Amino acid sequence: IAFSGPTTLQKVDVAGGPPITLCQTQGIATGGTWSRDGVILVPIQGLLHRVPAAGGEPKPLGSLAKGEFAQSWPQFLPDGRHYLYLSVNSQPELEGIYVASLDGGERKLIVATGDNAVYVPSGHLLFVKGNVLMAQPLDLRSLKLLDEPRPITDRIAKMNESSNMAGAIFAASPNGVLIWRNGSGTFESQLEWFDRNGKKLGAVGDAADFSSPALSPDEKKLAVGIMDPQARTRDIWVIDLVRGTRTRLTFDPADDLNPVWSPD
């Protein structure tokens, strides 16, 4: 398994053992792909590079096109030479999934989209339009989409568009299994008390998009992150467990996460 750390691309044997560093990436890579010929493609500072599976110096695959500022989510096609990737461009009409070859030549636009796509063995390209996951046959000879796209599911969740890991959250296996995260609005949940045997004792306040609850040392208050559905950022709130009231603690525009109480 190849994976990206903060500054390196590494691999680890599925049977276990320590990870091995393959190359420096100067940041977390947005996706990657590994061919049967032992070639790994990975974005480094926005540009796709090729790296030997045994490790070595990464080599850039060409250069960024006009207006293009990132190439991400590469995937080898079955021939092991052609690959798909998402081109992020300052001109929205040029943004989409492109196909290119390790042998060089002109790249080709496959479908206009702002999200990642996946080719599956059934011969279809899975891609996202808005928040709908679509499937459309892809001819591997002409490298063109055939027929009309067919919707698979809607309300596909997406990663934070302001992060370097922007993209739709879905994946497909070679044997035809699809997995995705539902993005139907907010991920609301209810804070509840349980005893050590798993018996429900009661609820805490109203439902919200909570994260990282932290109980105060005297167990009378709870600090927790809550997502603002309009701003799409989190702030820290303090819930008074005795009175049942909720008070907002932070107001800055950034995400505020993981509150920690001091002993006093």
Side-chain angles (χ1 to χ4, degrees):
I1 300 173
F3 62 96
S4 173
T7 59
T8 60
L9 177 69
Q10 301 180 59
K11 69 176 180 180
V12 64
D13 196 301
V14 293
I20 299 172
T21 298
L22 300 178
C23 69
Q24 299 293 316
T25 57
Q26 304 173 41
I28 296 177
T30 312
T33 185
W34 190 332
S35 79
R36 61 173 180 261
D37 299 319
V39 177
I40 295 175
L41 301 186
V42 63
I44 298 178
Q45 293 188 315
L47 179 64
L48 284 177
H49 287 64
R50 61 182 294 170
V51 182
E57 190 68 23
K59 296 182 179 180
L61 292 172
S63 57
L64 295 175
K66 182 179 180 180
E68 187 179 42
F69 57 85
Q71 300 172 346
S72 58
W73 304 111
Q75 183 195 7
F76 274 113
L77 291 175
D79 66 0
R81 305 301 297 175
H82 289 87
Y83 57 91
L84 304 170
Y85 69 94
L86 172 65
S87 172
V88 183
N89 200 294
S90 59
Q91 303 178 58
E93 67 274 11
L94 298 178
E95 195 165 81
I97 298 297
Y98 284 76
V99 63
S101 173
L102 295 178
D103 303 317
E106 294 293 323
R107 69 177 192 162
K108 182 178 181 179
L109 177 65
I110 299 296
V111 63
T113 179
D115 295 293
N116 43 309
V118 173
Y119 176 80
V120 292
S122 65
H124 292 81
L125 183 71
L126 304 182
F127 59 94
V128 176
K129 286 288 188 180
N131 66 346
V132 179
L133 182 64
M134 314 290 289
Q136 191 169 356
L138 175 63
D139 182 17
L140 293 180
R141 292 186 177 182
S142 65
L143 297 174
K144 292 182 179 179
L145 291 174
L146 306 175
D147 302 327
E148 294 296 322
R150 179 168 58 92
I152 300 298
T153 185
D154 60 359
R155 297 189 295 273
I156 291 287
K158 297 184 181 182
M159 287 173 264
N160 188 347
E161 295 181 358
S162 65
S163 76
N164 67 338
M165 289 297 290
I169 305 175
F170 75 98
S173 72
N175 62 353
V177 177
L178 174 68
I179 186 170
W180 73 92
R181 176 178 291 175
N182 191 303
S184 55
T186 61
F187 298 96
E188 287 194 347
S189 58
Q190 178 69 59
L191 294 173
E192 296 179 345
W193 287 107
F194 289 84
D195 66 15
R196 295 184 182 276
N197 295 317
K199 180 183 177 182
K200 181 179 174 180
L201 301 178
V204 178
D206 299 323
D209 189 342
F210 295 110
S211 63
S212 308
L215 191 63
S216 64
D218 61 9
E219 301 184 359
K220 293 181 179 180
K221 294 181 179 179
L222 184 76
V224 64
I226 299 180
M227 173 73 78
D228 184 316
Q230 278 72 48
R232 303 302 300 167
T233 55
R234 293 186 182 276
D235 281 290
I236 304 301
W237 291 67
V238 175
I239 300 174
D240 190 317
L241 299 173
V242 177
R243 296 182 175 88
T245 57
R246 191 165 78 182
T247 304
R248 185 173 173 177
L249 187 65
T250 64
F251 292 85
D252 60 278
D255 276 315
D256 296 314
L257 306 166
N258 303 321
V260 178
W261 294 87
S262 66
D264 60 356

